[in-house]
Amino acid sequence: MVLVKDVGAPADICARYGIPGWGGYQGAGHTRMATESAVTTAHSHPFAPAADLALVHNGSFSNYATVRRRLARAGVSCDTDNDSEVAARLIASRMAAGDGLEDALKTVFKEMDGFFTLLVTTRTQFAVVRDSFACKPAVIAETSDYVAMASEYHALAGLPGITGAEVFEPMPEEIHLWSR
């Protein structure tokens, strides 16, 4: 996994790092509006707490400090004070303990309070979940060639084959998981 965190317009960042020339089968991008932590690249998304795990989060967790303390007692430390990093570290810790991605995501529902949409990727999987109220936006487009997720359909509208895609909004606490 290659992780790039930078400040600026997405097209400029992609050009700066030569991202259009990269190969791969997954990619995640995130434009952040900071609400819970500092505006720095260290606090920006995606958070990658393990070699093959990355998380992008839209929303806010209200009990992240409590969960961070519980993780610290278990030997899991965070690098920032960002609520999204806590969720990423919780998922990574569950997976390190033997859970699959789906069960690790169920732990988020049990242990973390708040309003959120999460996109989580591993080396072979891609998952999207929303909290029990599904108040943070998410739309998924699925074709035989790709799965794409965004906060708004507008961000997906230019994708090849979008007119033939199955396009839907994930329901509350529904785990959508695709494997390679």
Side-chain angles (χ1 to χ4, degrees), residues 57-143:
H57 166 222
N58 180 9
S60 178
F61 291 109
S62 58
N63 68 333
Y64 69 96
T66 301
V67 175
R68 179 188 293 118
R69 284 190 297 274
R70 190 167 41 241
L71 287 169
R73 286 192 298 272
V76 177
S77 63
C78 292
D79 298 326
T80 71
D81 58 353
N82 189 289
D83 61 336
S84 305
E85 182 186 5
V86 174
R89 298 232 179 241
L90 175 62
I91 292 166
S93 71
R94 293 307 318 142
M95 292 182 73
D99 283 358
L101 180 55
E102 184 170 3
D103 286 335
L105 290 170
K106 288 177 183 176
T107 300
V108 172
F109 292 133
K110 291 177 192 168
E111 294 193 24
M112 299 199 75
D113 295 326
F115 300 104
F116 59 88
T117 294
L118 300 178
L119 177 147
V120 181
T121 65
T122 70
R123 183 177 315 279
T124 59
Q125 295 180 299
F126 173 93
V128 175
V129 297
R130 296 170 83 188
D131 66 79
S132 60
F133 295 102
C135 68
K136 289 298 178 184
V139 61
I140 296 172
E142 184 174 6
T143 72

Side-chain angles (χ1 to χ4, degrees), residues 136-178:
K136 289 298 178 184
V139 61
I140 296 172
E142 184 174 6
T143 72
S144 59
D145 294 325
Y146 65 80
V147 175
M149 181 266 183
S151 293
E152 300 175 4
Y153 177 79
H154 175 76
L156 304 174
L159 292 174
I162 193 68
T163 57
E166 177 187 352
V167 178
F168 62 96
E169 290 187 37
M171 298 303 292
E173 290 192 7
E174 207 172 62
I175 296 173
H176 293 272
L177 188 120
W178 295 269

